[in-house]
Amino acid sequence: QSALTQPRSVSGSPGQSVTISCTGTSSDVGGYNYVSWYQQHPGKAPKLMIYDVSKRPSGVPDRFSGSKSGNTASLTISGLQAEDEADYYCCSYAGSYQGVFGGGTKLTVL
Amino acid sequence: EVQLLESGGGLVQPGGSLRLSCAASGFTFSSYAMSWVRQAPGKGLEWVSAISGSGGSTYYADSVKGRFTISRDNSKNTLYLQMNSLRAEDTAVYYCAKDPHIVVYWYFDLWGRGTLVTVSS
């Protein structure tokens, strides 16, 4: 199972919005609504930010939102804050009882 | 406190074996599916294996199928990963991760801090 495709890096200034894409195929992202997003700060464990494409766990700010169109899922962070600087990973069910992550995107807050 | 704590990592030679453990606390362990996810140094996350809350269903990434075995002891609130025939490309931090459902639902709402496995001669 090939990793989902994410941009290696994105950046934005405080207060701005950024969108991170996650492109797969009809066998994973496009075929199921089991897309999740994780935030990982250096040396730390990942943290769930979005699940089931667009649902937010309790405690995650509503500045974080998720969506999907066809084979591409997206994570949008609005009102960027310094603490949002981290690596972000998407994840999807890939059929045949397999999961697949994206390669990760480094978000820099300028 | 709700937490997961991995142990068992270390240095092992190619072809060797290692068993990882993940001790769960603060929640009803048997009610939730669990997974192992790994991260090679400086690289992204890779799903490795998953198991249902009862332990009756297990799933593996193609990269580890036939070499790794996931299991759980619900009486001890502990998840395991038996790793055999280890290769250099298995070198990674291994995280255990909790799924919020008893069957595998393919997202993870609680993660441990990870344990480092290094495969090298």
Side-chain angles (χ1 to χ4, degrees), chain A residues 10-99:
Chain A
V10 298
S11 63
S13 298
Q16 289 186 332
S17 294
V18 295
T19 296
I20 300 171
S21 61
C22 169
T23 301
T25 69
S26 58
S27 297
D28 39 61
V29 174
Y32 308 93
N33 287 324
Y34 294 138
V35 177
S36 52
W37 289 89
Y38 302 86
Q39 175 191 67
Q40 187 181 35
H41 287 107
K44 301 294 187 182
K47 175 187 176 183
L48 177 67
M49 304 303 285
I50 295 288
Y51 66 97
D52 290 354
V53 176
S54 60
K55 298 177 182 177
R56 235 180 0 261
S58 60
V60 172
D62 60 6
R63 303 185 295 104
F64 291 83
S65 62
S67 62
K68 189 182 84 167
S69 178
N71 296 335
T72 298
S74 298
L75 173 71
T76 298
I77 309 171
S78 59
L80 267 180
Q81 299 182 3
E83 58 263 36
D84 297 334
E85 185 163 295
D87 293 327
Y88 290 84
Y89 294 90
C90 60
C91 180
S92 175
Y93 177 54
S96 301
Y97 300 104
Q98 302 254 314

Side-chain angles (χ1 to χ4, degrees), chain A residues 1 34 36 38 40 44-48 51-52 89 91-93 97-103, chain B residues 37 39 43-47 59-62 65 95 105-114:
Chain A
Q1 184 64 48
Y34 294 138
S36 52
Y38 302 86
Q40 187 181 35
K44 301 294 187 182
K47 175 187 176 183
L48 177 67
Y51 66 97
D52 290 354
Y89 294 90
C91 180
S92 175
Y93 177 54
Y97 300 104
Q98 302 254 314
V100 62
F101 280 92
Chain B
V37 177
Q39 186 169 33
K43 303 296 185 182
L45 300 172
E46 179 187 13
W47 174 78
Y59 313 102
Y60 299 93
D62 291 341
K65 200 171 295 183
Y95 295 100
Y105 214 71
W106 308 101
Y107 70 92
F108 317 108
D109 63 350
L110 178 68
W111 296 66
R113 291 190 170 187

